[in-house]
Amino acid sequence: MTVTTRGGAAGLRRVPQYLALLAYVVFLAFPLLWLLSTALKTPREMALADPTWIPREPTLANFADAFGEQDLVGAATRSLVVALASSVITVVISLPAAYAIARYRGLVNRIAIGWVLVSQVFPFILIIIPLFMILRDLELVNTLPGLVVVHVTFTLPFALWMLQGYVRAVPAELEEAAAMDGAGRIRTIVGVVAPLLAPGVVATLLFAFISSWNEFLFALVILQDPDVMTLPLTLVRFTGPEGVARLGPLAAASLMATIPSLIFFAIIQRRLKSGLMAGAVKG
Amino acid sequence: MTATATRPAPPTPPARHARRRRFSRQTREMWVLMLPALVPVLLFSVGPLLYGIALAFTDARNTRNHETSFVGLENLGDLLTAEDFWSSFRIGMIWAVSVTGLQFLAALGLALLLNQDLRFRGVARVLAVVPWAMPPVVIGLMWKLVYHPDAGILNSVLGTHVNWLADFSLALPAIIVVGVWTGMPQTTVVLLAGLQNVPRELYEAVEVDGAGRWRKFWNITLPQLKPVIVAITSLDFVWNINQFGLVYVLTQGGPGGQTRLPMLFAYEEAFRYRFAGYASMLGLAMAVVVLAALGLYLWRQMREAK
């Protein structure tokens, strides 16, 4: 970024632009600040008639209370298990396919890419009804493995799309050179391709993890028993007709549920733009 | 696609000959590599999709002991004569079109600002991505706190006493605002990337002619951005019409069905009333509508581009 000194006239001309930017910042930030403010308020202050931005007596008690409510720790643990399992499985099974799509031309990879695009358009409801029936026959409804199967299946197309992009970025000449030097196929892949692919694999893992951690609709359909519910479901059950007393812990729990995604975005923020751009233009 | 036919063939790489000789081995290898991904996709995605399309023509119930029989187009007939479907469809269209449109305009404005050399744009840049990083359920809960009739900030700021999400005429606009807030980041990031790819020379060329800011925007920026705009608005529309979690958390489709988007309607039919066949037909009908709308839009854009 280059820093330029601006004259008074140029600065004045930019006033409308700064006002517009300020409007955007306010629109984007105010719900977030309100969530934070609510999370720091005491139940007594929540009950007051005129809510204020700055809590009068800020407290962290809501965060502690949140852990006691509705088995939130259990739900977070289950979400973690499901997200870890589905992200690892997704990457392990899509990596070879991504390699095949990136390196070989042919009908199959065109069909695969077509499927990636089609899977973005079809309404989930069309798939989730039969899927629910299939999982029920397999006795996988109300189980975490059932949800993992679904998350893997539905993260797979986009993971495949991401990974094949990363494989394409590794020059095929490198592999050919390694083969020339007498390295076998496996050694070429492990020794040459894998190290170059590692950052892309990590990004895809994180993407799959977050997709699963945040996912709501499939979890809602498949996990109906409160004892197996994941974090998003438990958070929604938090809001009942009980009134404002529990809003503080709810806000605190919501903030905590956002932490994994925030870490993920902090890590991949730079990659985001280029990756998404490529996807959007090709899509 | 006709657009590809006019493009010159890519130059043949020299390694092509060697590759062709290994063709059969490559095909075999490719299948082995594809298999681990192919099996779950076929079993849990392609299979259910075909099964779902078939279900749409049956009277299937989402219960264990039910004799399912083929009923042809009966579900479609029921759907087209059901008043609650048409009201849900209308609400879904209002939602998807207005969220996509407003999202695009807001994101374009923000992207143009972020593309300028302004102070504090780093703050805006980070903030613009935060909604993307939040679980949809948390976004819904957060806005519920904002809209809360007693403890919410909105009534306090406006000095009103409105139950936003339970008001017949205000609930839909209220959730549309949330939809715009939620979807703005992706659109902004994509448009910003598009803006940064517009070649500088194009601007310099018209600056020589003394073109002002507006003329530069209309004559250079917009036409250059066109492919990106078409791609992202299409995606946004599809995402918005298929929206479920956000609205489920905010209003569950209420008050009185005023925010019952088609996907919420289908969910209720399938999992509350257990009419699996009927709900599948609803999903199928929505898929056809979305594909048709998308096809028409892309076809028009492509014809214009020629």
Side-chain angles (χ1 to χ4, degrees), chain A residues 37-267:
Chain A
S37 164
T38 309
L40 297 175
K41 279 179 184 161
T42 58
R44 198 151 49 87
E45 191 175 347
M46 290 300 304
L48 291 180
D50 195 24
T52 49
W53 277 105
I54 315 272
R56 283 169 204 148
E57 31 188 317
T59 170
L60 290 176
N62 288 325
F63 289 87
D65 286 353
F67 283 107
E69 293 254 4
Q70 295 263 7
D71 186 26
L72 218 62
V73 180
T77 313
R78 286 188 290 273
S79 272
L80 190 70
V81 168
V82 169
L84 275 176
S86 23
S87 55
V88 170
I89 296 172
T90 302
V91 169
V92 166
I93 63 177
S94 58
L95 197 53
Y99 183 84
I101 289 175
R103 285 288 187 258
Y104 308 126
R105 293 150 203 275
L107 187 65
V108 181
N109 66 38
R110 249 173 286 157
I111 291 173
I113 288 173
W115 176 251
V116 170
L117 297 177
V118 167
S119 67
Q120 302 288 311
V121 178
F122 266 87
F124 280 160
I125 200 79
L126 201 52
I127 290 176
I128 194 132
I129 297 167
L131 195 56
F132 175 81
M133 293 172 155
I134 293 170
L135 290 176
R136 193 182 49 199
D137 293 342
L138 295 173
E139 303 285 342
L140 284 174
V141 166
N142 272 322
T143 67
L144 298 186
L147 190 60
V148 170
V149 164
V150 176
H151 282 178
V152 166
T153 314
F154 286 90
T155 321
L156 210 122
F158 201 78
L160 203 59
W161 183 250
M162 275 176 87
L163 282 172
Q164 64 93 24
Y166 292 118
V167 174
R168 257 180 232 280
V170 177
E173 290 77 36
L174 272 181
E175 283 174 55
E176 278 156 23
M180 240 33 136
D181 292 344
R185 189 120 192 102
I186 309 253
R187 259 187 59 204
T188 310
I189 287 178
V190 173
V192 179
V193 183
L196 289 169
L197 218 53
V201 168
V202 172
T204 313
L205 260 176
L206 286 168
F207 163 78
F209 181 92
I210 294 302
S211 305
S212 169
W213 177 269
N214 290 352
E215 202 279 323
F216 178 67
L217 173 56
F218 290 129
L220 180 71
V221 170
I222 290 167
L223 307 177
Q224 286 157 354
D225 178 357
D227 290 339
V228 292
M229 283 183 174
T230 51
L231 195 55
L233 296 177
T234 312
L235 280 177
V236 171
R237 280 168 59 90
F238 232 105
T239 51
E242 291 90 347
V244 296
R246 280 147 47 93
L247 293 183
L250 172 68
S254 302
L255 279 174
M256 289 190 283
T258 310
I259 292 169
S261 330
L262 284 179
I263 294 172
F264 163 67
F265 271 79
I267 294 171

Side-chain angles (χ1 to χ4, degrees), chain B:
Chain B
M1 255 187 273
T2 47
T4 45
T6 52
R7 230 177 271 160
T12 322
R16 202 59 186 274
H17 274 297
R19 280 195 192 148
R20 199 161 293 163
R21 251 184 284 130
R22 295 203 309 257
F23 183 73
S24 64
R25 206 189 118 201
Q26 277 199 356
T27 315
R28 220 172 40 231
E29 254 178 28
M30 189 172 76
W31 277 105
V32 172
L33 290 171
M34 296 281 265
L35 206 63
L38 214 54
V39 171
V41 165
L42 286 177
L43 275 182
F44 298 108
S45 195
V46 179
L49 181 64
L50 298 176
Y51 187 8
I53 293 173
L55 276 181
F57 301 96
T58 68
D59 65 349
R61 300 287 312 261
N62 196 358
T63 47
R64 265 180 196 276
N65 302 311
H66 173 74
E67 282 292 316
T68 301
S69 52
F70 180 78
V71 294
L73 290 172
E74 200 176 288
N75 287 326
L76 186 63
D78 288 349
L79 198 64
L80 295 181
T81 50
E83 211 159 285
D84 48 359
F85 165 70
W86 284 110
S87 110
S88 168
F89 184 75
R90 189 181 56 86
I91 291 165
M93 280 299 157
I94 295 175
W95 154 270
V97 170
S98 49
V99 172
T100 306
L102 293 171
Q103 225 167 47
F104 166 68
L105 291 177
L108 182 63
L110 183 55
L112 286 168
L113 284 171
L114 291 180
N115 201 31
Q116 305 265 329
D117 183 25
L118 296 175
R119 273 164 229 260
F120 310 116
R121 68 169 179 182
V123 182
R125 214 176 258 243
V126 170
L127 267 176
V129 182
V130 167
W132 199 352
M134 295 176 76
V137 165
V138 170
I139 296 180
L141 294 173
M142 178 180 75
W143 278 90
K144 258 184 125 157
L145 293 175
V146 169
Y147 284 135
H148 198 283
D150 305 315
I153 191 67
L154 199 61
N155 277 332
S156 163
V157 167
L158 298 177
T160 48
H161 199 88
V162 178
N163 195 350
W164 298 93
L165 295 174
D167 188 284
F168 256 65
S169 49
L170 290 175
L172 186 57
I175 64 161
I176 286 174
V177 170
V178 183
V180 173
W181 190 91
T182 309
M184 230 171 76
Q186 285 100 317
T187 317
T188 307
V189 168
V190 170
L191 289 175
L192 185 59
L195 281 175
Q196 287 168 348
N197 282 350
V198 178
R200 290 253 124 248
E201 303 82 58
L202 289 175
Y203 291 111
E204 282 156 17
V206 292
E207 268 162 18
V208 175
D209 299 340
R213 212 183 280 188
W214 272 108
R215 271 211 22 226
K216 276 196 271 180
F217 177 73
W218 281 111
N219 295 345
I220 309 286
T221 312
L222 267 190
Q224 285 288 315
L225 223 51
K226 194 95 181 264
V228 179
I229 292 174
V230 171
I232 193 66
T233 46
S234 311
L235 277 176
D236 278 343
F237 180 78
V238 173
W239 286 331
N240 287 326
I241 195 90
N242 289 336
Q243 177 60 260
F244 177 84
L246 192 64
V247 181
Y248 182 88
V249 174
L250 278 166
T251 62
Q252 294 222 336
Q258 287 304 303
T259 60
R260 196 197 280 136
L261 303 185
M263 288 308 117
L264 273 90
F265 185 74
Y267 170 81
E268 279 181 10
E269 291 295 331
F271 294 102
R272 186 169 301 164
Y273 308 118
R274 310 216 161 254
F275 292 117
Y278 184 60
S280 295
M281 181 51 92
L282 212 160
L284 187 59
M286 288 310 296
V288 169
V289 168
V290 169
L291 284 174
L294 212 58
L296 191 70
Y297 177 63
L298 293 176
W299 175 72
R300 270 191 53 188
Q301 295 300 332
M302 257 158 61
R303 206 183 46 173
E304 257 177 56
K306 265 197 245 168

